[in-house]
Amino acid sequence: MLGSRHAKDTHASRGTHPAATGRRTAGEAEADTAKLGRDFGWIAALGVVLVIAGVVGLCYVGLATLTTMILFGWLLLIGGVIGLLHAVQARGTHFFWLGVVVAALNIAAGVVVLKTPEAGAEALTMFAALLFLTGGLFRLVGSLVVRGPQFGWTLVQGAFDLLLGILVLATWPSSSKYVIGTFFSLALLFDGLGLIATGYGGRRIVGLVSEKLTESHRPTGGRSGRGTEPVQPE
């Protein structure tokens, strides 16, 4: 008798366990969708901040250039210090002196950029113009030689890069006051628009999934107890 009662109790407890597990799983799924919705909301908010920063930078290009160079100098300085620490930790290896030299160059470049951001902007503008010139020239020659399926687009892109490099060099060094800030502000603007699109699309998808989960766990009329009512005799 005791063994049969224990078996019945065990069977009953096993029968109620999946239902409880199913309820807990549904609650966890709803919590996960809510958390995803909040995360995508934060992504969209970050995109709005970047868009505002990009618009402000385009309105004040000189200030954006100066801010960009200061940030660039601090990045070089911090990266050089971190590289030097890694080189010290890796002493005794073949890459020790190479790491020390690279870290020292980064630290020196960071100090120079922070002390004279205008000169750093001029040098970086010259470097960017040379990159545009060489990139545009290679694209033009490559498109004319290869003539692939993207011939027209590559030709136009090469001509645009070449023209942009010529324009920047023609007005250098005065162009250094607005070129870096314009590029940095445009990068912030387009990155912010991309984050806004990602956050909005993600929240929309999460909302659709949440609606599907709610409908799947909603009780239907066929499961009510009306089908078990006794039939009255006539």
Side-chain angles (χ1 to χ4, degrees):
M1 292 294 291
L2 291 176
S4 61
R5 184 177 299 175
H6 178 71
K8 289 180 181 179
D9 294 339
T10 304
H11 180 71
S13 62
R14 288 179 179 178
T16 58
H17 183 70
T21 305
R23 287 193 297 270
R24 188 171 62 251
T25 304
E28 290 177 354
E30 293 177 358
D32 291 339
T33 54
K35 183 178 182 299
L36 281 175
R38 290 192 298 269
D39 292 340
F40 280 115
W42 282 111
I43 291 175
L46 178 61
V48 171
V49 173
L50 291 182
V51 167
I52 294 174
V55 172
V56 172
L58 290 176
C59 295
Y60 302 96
V61 182
L63 182 60
T65 299
L66 183 62
T67 305
T68 304
M69 295 312 301
I70 292 175
L71 290 176
F72 183 62
W74 277 110
L75 286 177
L76 287 175
L77 187 60
I78 295 173
V81 172
I82 294 175
L84 186 61
L85 292 177
H86 281 296
V88 171
Q89 291 178 356
R91 60 183 179 275
T93 63
H94 298 287
F95 302 99
F96 170 71
W97 289 110
L98 179 62
V100 170
V101 170
V102 172
L105 289 176
N106 287 332
I107 292 174
V111 171
V112 170
V113 170
L114 288 176
K115 283 188 175 181
T116 56
E118 293 83 4
E122 292 178 1
L124 194 59
T125 302
M126 173 67 74
F127 182 69
L130 292 177
L131 283 181
F132 281 122
L133 282 175
T134 54
L137 186 61
F138 274 109
R139 284 193 177 93
L140 281 175
V141 175
S143 62
L144 292 174
V145 172
V146 178
R147 291 183 178 273
Q150 303 292 331
F151 167 73
W153 173 251
T154 307
L155 187 66
V156 171
Q157 188 177 4
F160 179 77
D161 290 344
L162 190 62
L163 179 62
L164 185 60
I166 292 173
L167 289 176
V168 172
L169 282 179
T171 57
W172 189 85
S174 61
S175 60
S176 61
K177 297 179 181 179
Y178 59 86
V179 169
I180 304 300
T182 302
F183 288 164
F184 184 70
S185 300
L186 287 176
L188 289 178
L189 181 62
F190 287 113
D191 287 343
L193 291 175
L195 289 178
I196 290 173
T198 302
Y200 178 75
R203 283 182 63 88
R204 187 175 181 182
I205 293 174
V206 169
L208 293 175
V209 172
S210 178
E211 290 179 1
K212 292 294 183 181
L213 288 175
T214 304
E215 292 177 358
S216 63
H217 292 91
R218 185 181 300 168
T220 58
R223 295 181 181 179
S224 60
R226 290 180 297 178
T228 60
E229 294 180 357
V231 179
Q232 299 293 333
E234 296 181 357

